[in-house]
Amino acid sequence: MFVLVSYDVSTIDKAGRRRLRRVAKVCKNYGQRVQFSVFECLVDPAQWTVMRQQLVDVIDPETDSLRFYYLGSNWKRRVEHVGAKPGVDQEGLLLV
Amino acid sequence: MKKHLNTLFVTTQGAYLAKEGETVAVKVGGKVRLQLPIHTLDGIVCFGQVSCSPFLMGFCAERDVCISFLTENGRFLARVQGPVSGNVLLRREQYRWADDPERSAAIARAVIIGKIVNSRKVLHRVVRDHPDKVDTVVVEQAMDRLKSILMHVRVGTSLDRLRGYEGEGAMVYFRVFDHLILSRKKEFFFEERSRRPPLDRVNCLLSFLYTLLMHDVRSALECTGLDTAVGFLHRDRPGRPGLALDLMEEFRPYLADRLALSLINLGQVKSKGFRQTETGAVLMDDDTRKTVLVAYQKRKQDVVTHPFLQEKMPIGLLFHTQALLLARHVRGDLDGYPVFCWQ
């Protein structure tokens, strides 16, 4: 399935900046960065459970927020990109 | 059910692959060109001068991601494999079977039947779809010949005779292969199978596709815990993946030959995309290789119904299914190996 993860982490203090880096790290392990704090993740339900828990453990619910958008498996017609930095289709041909 | 995952192809010379967290990062000139989470990958294929960090190799081995190293022209060099895993009982049984001429012959027979049936089907398709463009008489003769070889193969024979039939089948098939090329005959022609090196464009295409197929079949076998080096039809030889070659036979005509034909017939590859070296070897250029890779990956995503399981799956998953069925047979859960016959 395809999940869009976006986050807002307060970076006023040092601890906040650390949380921000950690959130980004978890997201990178599971998905592709499409905008600064927006990740597209192609995961199966088991992987998603792990990832979600990791994210929830990192943030401070008082100041930070996470938003998950579940786009299912038929996500291709639900996503459109305009402008710079187009993402890579993780299910298409991967050729570098 | 296992998911058909993606394969990462790295053809950029001088690229460096590294592990970053749980991702594979492809770096070119010190800059990250592509970063992918490992769980979306099934295999990594590196062409030419591509290096890879030891940590990534270890990580991939742990996560069952197969890394293959090929020369720039697609000749197989090496692959990275983790500690031997899987069921030791299964592997022992496989060795016992490989030592038993009768059991080996039974599996070899299934594999050869698959190969000949699928080759015949390739010919049949072309005759059916383009009766006006091919020399139907010659191709149909070959089809009849294959059918009679098939009859011989079906009745129990020794391994050596089976190999003889296989060779004969291949000869009959490749003798009419040129007839299946429907357009631009002057540039793309086929006389006989040549390899190491391929001497014409068609052979160049075929060899490259077989290498890709090899990578996939081998990693599928690896996942089931069978030993890829010990084959039934193909005997042991150092450095030769006998079992992978066995399992590959049924897919050669169905996947590789057909893809090569459609690439040529639909004009997706151009004769300019190949060059000849002084030794006579024909090599393809970067753009052509890319076209072939795209087509191959795309074909693997096509969904077919598995003839034995009656289940729909992408073609890329067929390798895994067949490997699994073979493992079941060796383990004793299935009476025979149901070879993949194209319907």
Side-chain angles (χ1 to χ4, degrees):
Chain A
M1 61 182 192
F2 194 74
V3 187
L4 191 84
V5 178
S6 77
Y7 53 80
D8 231 351
V9 178
S10 160
T11 51
I12 297 169
D13 53 353
K14 214 175 167 188
R17 288 192 285 275
R18 169 186 261 177
R19 288 200 303 278
L20 179 75
R21 282 196 301 275
R22 287 197 174 157
V23 170
K25 203 171 188 176
V26 172
C27 288
K28 259 193 203 162
N29 285 345
Y30 289 91
Q32 178 191 191
R33 179 171 238 150
V34 284
Q35 283 176 350
F36 284 121
S37 47
V38 180
F39 280 83
E40 288 178 354
C41 306
L42 212 53
V43 284
D44 64 25
Q47 287 160 347
W48 171 244
T49 318
V50 176
M51 178 187 177
R52 187 183 172 280
Q53 196 55 49
Q54 283 178 359
L55 287 174
V56 171
D57 289 346
V58 171
I59 61 154
D60 174 6
E62 297 289 313
T63 54
D64 314 334
S65 72
L66 288 165
R67 285 184 84 83
F68 307 134
Y69 301 83
Y70 302 96
L71 294 167
S73 52
N74 195 8
W75 54 272
K76 278 199 177 125
R77 52 187 187 83
R78 299 202 176 109
V79 179
E80 190 189 339
H81 182 94
V82 179
K85 291 199 287 185
V88 178
D89 177 8
Q90 295 183 63
E91 284 177 323
L93 177 79
L94 299 173
L95 182 73
V96 184
Chain B
M1 192 73 197
K2 192 180 155 62
K3 230 180 132 222
H4 170 49
L5 297 171
N6 216 334
T7 311
L8 170 67
F9 296 97
V10 186
T11 55
T12 309
Q13 299 304 295
Y16 182 71
L17 306 182
K19 169 182 182 290
E20 266 185 26
E22 308 240 313
T23 62
V24 180
V26 184
K27 294 179 185 172
V28 180
K31 274 203 170 151
V32 176
R33 182 79 76 82
L34 185 67
Q35 191 170 8
L36 295 158
I38 192 123
H39 70 259
T40 57
L41 290 178
D42 190 41
I44 301 176
V45 185
C46 307
F47 291 87
Q49 197 214 325
V50 174
S51 37
C52 196
S53 85
F55 295 104
L56 178 71
M57 292 190 198
F59 185 55
C60 286
E62 197 179 294
R63 296 298 194 91
D64 278 335
V65 175
C66 182
I67 309 182
S68 289
F69 291 96
L70 274 50
T71 66
E72 215 177 319
N73 303 311
R75 192 168 59 82
F76 180 82
L77 290 175
R79 107 197 118 112
V80 176
Q81 190 199 354
V84 178
S85 61
N87 192 336
V88 64
L89 299 174
L90 173 70
R91 257 198 312 276
R92 256 190 197 282
E93 196 62 28
Q94 182 194 350
Y95 299 148
R96 282 192 202 108
W97 283 33
D99 286 336
D100 179 349
E102 255 175 54
R103 287 242 155 108
S104 299
I107 297 181
R109 187 180 308 125
V111 165
I112 295 171
I113 288 176
K115 182 181 188 179
I116 298 181
V117 166
N118 289 341
S119 312
R120 205 171 159 270
K121 197 82 196 193
V122 171
L123 302 182
H124 179 79
R125 267 291 164 102
V126 177
V127 172
R128 193 195 69 187
D129 293 346
H130 307 281
D132 48 328
K133 286 188 197 154
V134 285
D135 190 347
T136 39
V137 182
V138 181
V139 178
E140 267 166 11
Q141 265 174 3
M143 278 164 63
D144 290 342
R145 188 81 196 87
L146 286 178
K147 200 172 188 177
S148 67
I149 295 172
L150 211 50
M151 302 290 235
H152 289 297
V153 176
R154 283 227 170 96
V155 287
T157 34
S158 70
L159 256 176
D160 280 338
R161 305 230 358 224
L162 281 172
R163 289 202 185 95
Y165 291 131
E166 194 231 339
E168 199 185 340
M171 204 182 68
V172 171
Y173 171 69
F174 277 123
R175 202 182 281 154
V176 294
F177 198 74
D178 189 45
H179 289 275
L180 310 183
I181 298 166
L182 305 172
S183 63
R184 294 174 300 144
K185 294 282 254 190
K186 279 210 188 86
E187 294 148 16
F188 292 94
F189 49 82
F190 184 88
E191 272 166 34
E192 55 170 0
R193 186 83 184 97
S194 60
R195 59 213 178 100
R196 294 190 213 125
L199 297 175
D200 56 51
R201 298 184 179 113
V202 181
N203 272 302
C204 176
L205 267 179
L206 286 177
S207 291
F208 185 63
L209 285 168
Y210 290 156
T211 311
L212 295 180
L213 193 57
M214 183 73 198
H215 169 91
D216 288 344
V217 169
R218 177 153 34 183
S219 59
L221 282 168
E222 214 69 71
C223 293
T224 60
L226 287 163
D227 189 333
T228 52
V230 180
F232 299 105
L233 172 65
H234 295 85
R235 288 286 99 181
D236 297 357
R237 196 189 286 169
R240 181 162 84 165
L243 189 64
L245 290 168
D246 283 4
L247 197 73
M248 217 174 119
E249 294 294 357
E250 61 211 74
F251 294 114
R252 280 177 202 258
Y254 175 68
L255 205 60
D257 299 358
R258 253 178 7 125
L259 193 61
L261 286 173
S262 53
L263 281 170
I264 297 169
N265 289 338
L266 299 176
Q268 283 169 301
V269 290
K270 306 269 182 284
S271 61
K272 276 187 298 192
F274 297 83
R275 67 189 165 82
Q276 195 157 23
T277 62
E278 302 88 51
T279 52
V282 174
L283 308 172
M284 52 176 104
D285 67 12
D286 293 344
D287 285 342
T288 311
R289 191 171 311 120
K290 196 168 167 183
T291 315
V292 178
L293 284 173
V294 172
Y296 180 72
Q297 282 301 94
K298 212 158 164 261
R299 178 60 64 86
K300 277 204 298 186
Q301 286 173 349
D302 289 350
V303 177
V304 291
T305 306
H306 192 281
F308 180 71
L309 301 172
Q310 291 297 327
E311 225 176 287
K312 278 197 176 159
M313 57 180 73
I315 289 177
L317 207 54
L318 283 177
F319 313 131
H320 289 274
T321 324
Q322 289 306 109
L324 218 57
L325 289 171
L326 183 62
R328 292 236 175 108
H329 175 44
V330 174
R331 214 182 288 145
D333 299 340
L334 272 177
D335 291 337
Y337 167 59
V339 70
F340 175 79
C341 289
W342 181 25
Q343 287 177 328

